[in-house]
Short mmCIF file of all heavy atoms in Angstrom, two decimals:
data_model
loop_
_atom_site.label_atom_id
_atom_site.label_comp_id
_atom_site.label_asym_id
_atom_site.label_seq_id
_atom_site.Cartn_x
_atom_site.Cartn_y
_atom_site.Cartn_z
N PRO L 276 91.30 100.15 79.37
CA PRO L 276 92.17 100.23 80.57
C PRO L 276 93.29 101.19 80.47
O PRO L 276 93.65 101.84 81.43
CB PRO L 276 92.63 98.79 80.82
CG PRO L 276 92.27 98.05 79.57
CD PRO L 276 91.21 98.75 78.95
N ASP L 277 93.93 101.30 79.30
CA ASP L 277 94.96 102.27 79.11
C ASP L 277 94.48 103.63 79.32
O ASP L 277 95.14 104.47 80.04
CB ASP L 277 95.46 102.26 77.58
CG ASP L 277 96.22 100.98 77.22
OD1 ASP L 277 96.88 100.37 78.15
OD2 ASP L 277 96.15 100.62 76.06
N VAL L 278 93.34 103.99 78.71
CA VAL L 278 92.78 105.33 78.83
C VAL L 278 92.44 105.66 80.26
O VAL L 278 92.80 106.71 80.79
CB VAL L 278 91.52 105.51 77.91
CG1 VAL L 278 90.92 106.92 78.05
CG2 VAL L 278 91.88 105.29 76.51
N ALA L 279 91.81 104.74 80.97
CA ALA L 279 91.39 104.97 82.35
C ALA L 279 92.61 105.17 83.22
O ALA L 279 92.64 106.02 84.10
CB ALA L 279 90.61 103.81 82.81
N ALA L 280 93.68 104.41 82.99
CA ALA L 280 94.92 104.53 83.75
C ALA L 280 95.53 105.95 83.52
O ALA L 280 95.97 106.64 84.44
CB ALA L 280 95.88 103.43 83.45
N CYS L 281 95.45 106.41 82.26
CA CYS L 281 96.05 107.71 81.97
C CYS L 281 95.16 108.82 82.67
O CYS L 281 95.76 109.81 83.18
CB CYS L 281 96.04 107.99 80.45
SG CYS L 281 97.23 107.01 79.61
N ILE L 282 93.85 108.69 82.68
CA ILE L 282 93.02 109.65 83.31
C ILE L 282 93.43 109.73 84.84
O ILE L 282 93.54 110.79 85.40
CB ILE L 282 91.55 109.28 83.19
CG1 ILE L 282 91.13 109.45 81.71
CG2 ILE L 282 90.67 110.20 84.12
CD1 ILE L 282 89.72 108.94 81.41
N GLU L 283 93.64 108.57 85.43
CA GLU L 283 94.08 108.55 86.84
C GLU L 283 95.42 109.24 87.01
O GLU L 283 95.64 109.94 87.96
CB GLU L 283 94.15 107.09 87.34
CG GLU L 283 94.34 107.02 88.85
CD GLU L 283 93.22 107.56 89.67
OE1 GLU L 283 92.08 107.79 89.16
OE2 GLU L 283 93.48 107.83 90.86
N GLY L 284 96.31 109.03 86.03
CA GLY L 284 97.67 109.69 86.03
C GLY L 284 97.49 111.22 86.11
O GLY L 284 98.11 111.94 86.88
N VAL L 285 96.60 111.67 85.21
CA VAL L 285 96.33 113.17 85.18
C VAL L 285 95.78 113.64 86.50
O VAL L 285 96.28 114.66 87.09
CB VAL L 285 95.33 113.53 84.09
CG1 VAL L 285 94.98 115.02 84.05
CG2 VAL L 285 95.88 113.10 82.65
N THR L 286 94.86 112.87 87.04
CA THR L 286 94.27 113.23 88.38
C THR L 286 95.43 113.35 89.46
O THR L 286 95.50 114.33 90.20
CB THR L 286 93.24 112.21 88.85
OG1 THR L 286 92.22 112.09 87.82
CG2 THR L 286 92.61 112.59 90.18
N MET L 287 96.26 112.38 89.43
CA MET L 287 97.36 112.39 90.41
C MET L 287 98.34 113.57 90.23
O MET L 287 98.71 114.25 91.20
CB MET L 287 98.24 111.07 90.30
CG MET L 287 97.47 109.90 90.79
SD MET L 287 98.43 108.38 90.68
CE MET L 287 99.85 108.73 91.74
N LEU L 288 98.63 113.93 88.98
CA LEU L 288 99.51 115.06 88.76
C LEU L 288 98.77 116.40 89.16
O LEU L 288 99.43 117.35 89.57
CB LEU L 288 100.01 115.11 87.34
CG LEU L 288 100.97 114.01 86.95
CD1 LEU L 288 101.58 114.29 85.57
CD2 LEU L 288 102.04 113.82 87.92
N GLU L 289 97.43 116.39 88.95
CA GLU L 289 96.72 117.64 89.30
C GLU L 289 96.64 117.78 90.84
O GLU L 289 96.63 118.89 91.35
CB GLU L 289 95.35 117.61 88.70
CG GLU L 289 95.32 118.04 87.27
CD GLU L 289 93.92 117.93 86.62
OE1 GLU L 289 93.15 117.18 87.15
OE2 GLU L 289 93.81 118.62 85.56
N GLU L 290 96.60 116.63 91.55
CA GLU L 290 96.52 116.67 93.00
C GLU L 290 97.80 117.13 93.65
O GLU L 290 97.74 117.77 94.67
CB GLU L 290 96.13 115.29 93.51
CG GLU L 290 94.70 114.95 93.40
CD GLU L 290 94.45 113.46 93.72
OE1 GLU L 290 95.30 112.71 94.19
OE2 GLU L 290 93.29 113.04 93.52
N SER L 291 98.95 116.67 93.12
CA SER L 291 100.20 116.91 93.79
C SER L 291 101.39 116.93 92.86
O SER L 291 101.41 116.13 91.89
CB SER L 291 100.34 115.77 94.84
OG SER L 291 101.69 115.70 95.22
N ASP L 292 102.41 117.69 93.15
CA ASP L 292 103.64 117.62 92.34
C ASP L 292 104.67 116.84 93.06
O ASP L 292 105.84 116.89 92.69
CB ASP L 292 104.12 119.04 92.00
CG ASP L 292 104.60 119.82 93.24
OD1 ASP L 292 104.55 119.27 94.37
OD2 ASP L 292 104.94 121.01 93.11
N GLU L 293 104.31 116.07 94.05
CA GLU L 293 105.32 115.25 94.82
C GLU L 293 106.17 114.30 93.97
O GLU L 293 107.32 114.28 94.09
CB GLU L 293 104.50 114.44 95.88
CG GLU L 293 105.37 113.70 96.83
CD GLU L 293 104.60 112.53 97.51
OE1 GLU L 293 103.34 112.68 97.66
OE2 GLU L 293 105.28 111.61 97.91
N LEU L 294 105.56 113.63 93.04
CA LEU L 294 106.33 112.63 92.26
C LEU L 294 107.30 113.38 91.32
O LEU L 294 108.42 112.89 91.13
CB LEU L 294 105.36 111.76 91.42
CG LEU L 294 104.56 110.74 92.20
CD1 LEU L 294 103.57 110.01 91.22
CD2 LEU L 294 105.46 109.73 92.92
N VAL L 295 106.83 114.49 90.71
CA VAL L 295 107.71 115.22 89.86
C VAL L 295 108.84 115.79 90.58
O VAL L 295 110.06 115.74 90.15
CB VAL L 295 106.93 116.40 89.17
CG1 VAL L 295 107.84 117.16 88.15
CG2 VAL L 295 105.75 115.78 88.36
N THR L 296 108.63 116.30 91.79
CA THR L 296 109.70 116.86 92.61
C THR L 296 110.71 115.73 93.01
O THR L 296 111.95 115.93 92.93
CB THR L 296 109.07 117.48 93.91
OG1 THR L 296 108.12 118.44 93.47
CG2 THR L 296 110.12 118.12 94.77
N ARG L 297 110.21 114.58 93.39
CA ARG L 297 111.09 113.44 93.70
C ARG L 297 111.92 113.04 92.60
O ARG L 297 113.10 112.73 92.67
CB ARG L 297 110.25 112.27 94.30
CG ARG L 297 111.13 111.26 95.02
CD ARG L 297 110.46 110.03 95.50
NE ARG L 297 109.18 110.30 96.16
CZ ARG L 297 108.20 109.44 96.22
NH1 ARG L 297 108.36 108.23 95.69
NH2 ARG L 297 107.07 109.70 96.84
N LEU L 298 111.29 113.01 91.35
CA LEU L 298 112.08 112.60 90.18
C LEU L 298 113.30 113.56 89.97
O LEU L 298 114.40 113.08 89.76
CB LEU L 298 111.13 112.69 88.93
CG LEU L 298 111.84 112.70 87.57
CD1 LEU L 298 112.47 111.34 87.37
CD2 LEU L 298 110.83 113.06 86.49
N TRP L 299 113.01 114.85 90.03
CA TRP L 299 114.11 115.90 89.81
C TRP L 299 115.13 115.73 90.96
O TRP L 299 116.37 115.88 90.61
CB TRP L 299 113.51 117.25 89.69
CG TRP L 299 112.92 117.47 88.33
CD1 TRP L 299 111.66 117.21 87.96
CD2 TRP L 299 113.62 117.88 87.14
NE1 TRP L 299 111.45 117.50 86.61
CE2 TRP L 299 112.72 117.96 86.11
CE3 TRP L 299 114.89 118.25 86.89
CZ2 TRP L 299 113.00 118.29 84.83
CZ3 TRP L 299 115.24 118.71 85.55
CH2 TRP L 299 114.33 118.65 84.54
N GLU L 300 114.74 115.50 92.18
CA GLU L 300 115.70 115.36 93.28
C GLU L 300 116.57 114.14 93.04
O GLU L 300 117.77 114.18 93.19
CB GLU L 300 114.93 115.29 94.57
CG GLU L 300 115.75 115.17 95.83
CD GLU L 300 116.83 116.22 96.00
OE1 GLU L 300 116.79 117.26 95.33
OE2 GLU L 300 117.67 116.12 96.92
N ASN L 301 115.91 112.97 92.64
CA ASN L 301 116.69 111.81 92.39
C ASN L 301 117.71 112.03 91.24
O ASN L 301 118.82 111.56 91.30
CB ASN L 301 115.68 110.64 91.92
CG ASN L 301 115.03 109.99 93.17
OD1 ASN L 301 115.32 110.45 94.29
ND2 ASN L 301 114.17 109.04 92.94
N ALA L 302 117.23 112.70 90.22
CA ALA L 302 118.09 112.97 89.06
C ALA L 302 119.31 113.83 89.46
O ALA L 302 120.42 113.57 89.06
CB ALA L 302 117.36 113.63 87.91
N ARG L 303 119.05 114.80 90.33
CA ARG L 303 120.16 115.67 90.80
C ARG L 303 121.17 114.88 91.60
O ARG L 303 122.39 114.96 91.38
CB ARG L 303 119.54 116.82 91.68
CG ARG L 303 120.63 117.85 92.01
CD ARG L 303 120.10 118.78 93.15
NE ARG L 303 119.81 118.13 94.40
CZ ARG L 303 120.72 117.63 95.24
NH1 ARG L 303 121.95 117.74 94.98
NH2 ARG L 303 120.36 117.04 96.35
N ILE L 304 120.72 114.01 92.50
CA ILE L 304 121.55 113.19 93.31
C ILE L 304 122.42 112.36 92.39
O ILE L 304 123.65 112.29 92.58
CB ILE L 304 120.76 112.40 94.33
CG1 ILE L 304 120.10 113.30 95.36
CG2 ILE L 304 121.71 111.33 95.03
CD1 ILE L 304 119.09 112.55 96.26
N LEU L 305 121.84 111.68 91.46
CA LEU L 305 122.53 110.73 90.63
C LEU L 305 123.56 111.49 89.75
O LEU L 305 124.71 111.03 89.57
CB LEU L 305 121.64 109.90 89.83
CG LEU L 305 122.34 108.65 89.30
CD1 LEU L 305 121.92 107.40 90.11
CD2 LEU L 305 122.16 108.40 87.85
N ARG L 306 123.09 112.53 89.12
CA ARG L 306 123.98 113.29 88.20
C ARG L 306 125.19 113.85 88.95
O ARG L 306 126.35 113.67 88.55
CB ARG L 306 123.28 114.37 87.40
CG ARG L 306 124.15 115.02 86.33
CD ARG L 306 123.47 116.20 85.62
NE ARG L 306 122.23 115.92 85.12
CZ ARG L 306 121.13 116.39 85.72
NH1 ARG L 306 121.18 117.14 86.82
NH2 ARG L 306 119.92 116.18 85.18
N ASP L 307 124.96 114.47 90.13
CA ASP L 307 125.98 115.08 90.91
C ASP L 307 127.00 113.94 91.36
O ASP L 307 128.22 114.11 91.29
CB ASP L 307 125.52 115.76 92.20
CG ASP L 307 124.83 117.09 91.84
OD1 ASP L 307 124.80 117.43 90.63
OD2 ASP L 307 124.20 117.72 92.73
N GLY L 308 126.38 112.86 91.80
CA GLY L 308 127.21 111.66 92.26
C GLY L 308 128.12 111.12 91.14
O GLY L 308 129.31 110.91 91.35
N MET L 309 127.58 111.03 89.93
CA MET L 309 128.35 110.56 88.79
C MET L 309 129.47 111.48 88.47
O MET L 309 130.64 111.09 88.21
CB MET L 309 127.47 110.49 87.46
CG MET L 309 126.35 109.49 87.62
SD MET L 309 127.07 107.86 87.38
CE MET L 309 125.82 107.11 86.47
N GLN L 310 129.15 112.79 88.45
CA GLN L 310 130.17 113.77 88.18
C GLN L 310 131.32 113.78 89.15
O GLN L 310 132.47 113.86 88.86
CB GLN L 310 129.58 115.15 87.97
CG GLN L 310 128.77 115.29 86.69
CD GLN L 310 127.92 116.57 86.58
OE1 GLN L 310 127.90 117.39 87.51
NE2 GLN L 310 127.30 116.79 85.49
N GLN L 311 130.89 113.64 90.47
CA GLN L 311 131.95 113.62 91.52
C GLN L 311 132.82 112.40 91.40
O GLN L 311 134.02 112.42 91.66
CB GLN L 311 131.28 113.61 92.88
CG GLN L 311 130.92 115.01 93.39
CD GLN L 311 129.88 115.06 94.45
OE1 GLN L 311 129.66 114.03 95.14
NE2 GLN L 311 129.22 116.19 94.63
N LEU L 312 132.24 111.32 90.80
CA LEU L 312 133.07 110.12 90.59
C LEU L 312 134.04 110.29 89.40
O LEU L 312 134.90 109.47 89.18
CB LEU L 312 132.15 108.91 90.34
CG LEU L 312 131.43 108.36 91.56
CD1 LEU L 312 130.42 107.27 91.18
CD2 LEU L 312 132.40 107.75 92.62
N GLY L 313 133.79 111.31 88.60
CA GLY L 313 134.69 111.53 87.44
C GLY L 313 134.05 111.10 86.17
O GLY L 313 134.74 111.13 85.15
N PHE L 314 132.76 110.77 86.13
CA PHE L 314 132.18 110.35 84.79
C PHE L 314 131.76 111.55 84.05
O PHE L 314 131.45 112.66 84.63
CB PHE L 314 130.84 109.59 85.11
CG PHE L 314 131.12 108.11 85.59
CD1 PHE L 314 130.75 107.74 86.86
CD2 PHE L 314 131.63 107.17 84.69
CE1 PHE L 314 130.94 106.45 87.25
CE2 PHE L 314 131.83 105.88 85.09
CZ PHE L 314 131.53 105.50 86.37
#
Side-chain angles (χ1 to χ4, degrees):
D277 290 332
V278 176
C281 289
I282 292 173
E283 189 62 19
V285 177
T286 303
M287 287 179 64
L288 290 190
E289 279 175 340
E290 282 171 6
S291 161
D292 64 4
E293 185 197 332
L294 290 176
V295 180
T296 304
R297 196 185 312 156
L298 165 69
W299 282 90
E300 179 58 7
N301 281 0
R303 188 193 62 73
I304 292 170
L305 198 106
R306 189 185 308 104
D307 288 357
M309 293 283 215
Q310 287 173 353
Q311 276 160 20
L312 288 171
F314 285 113

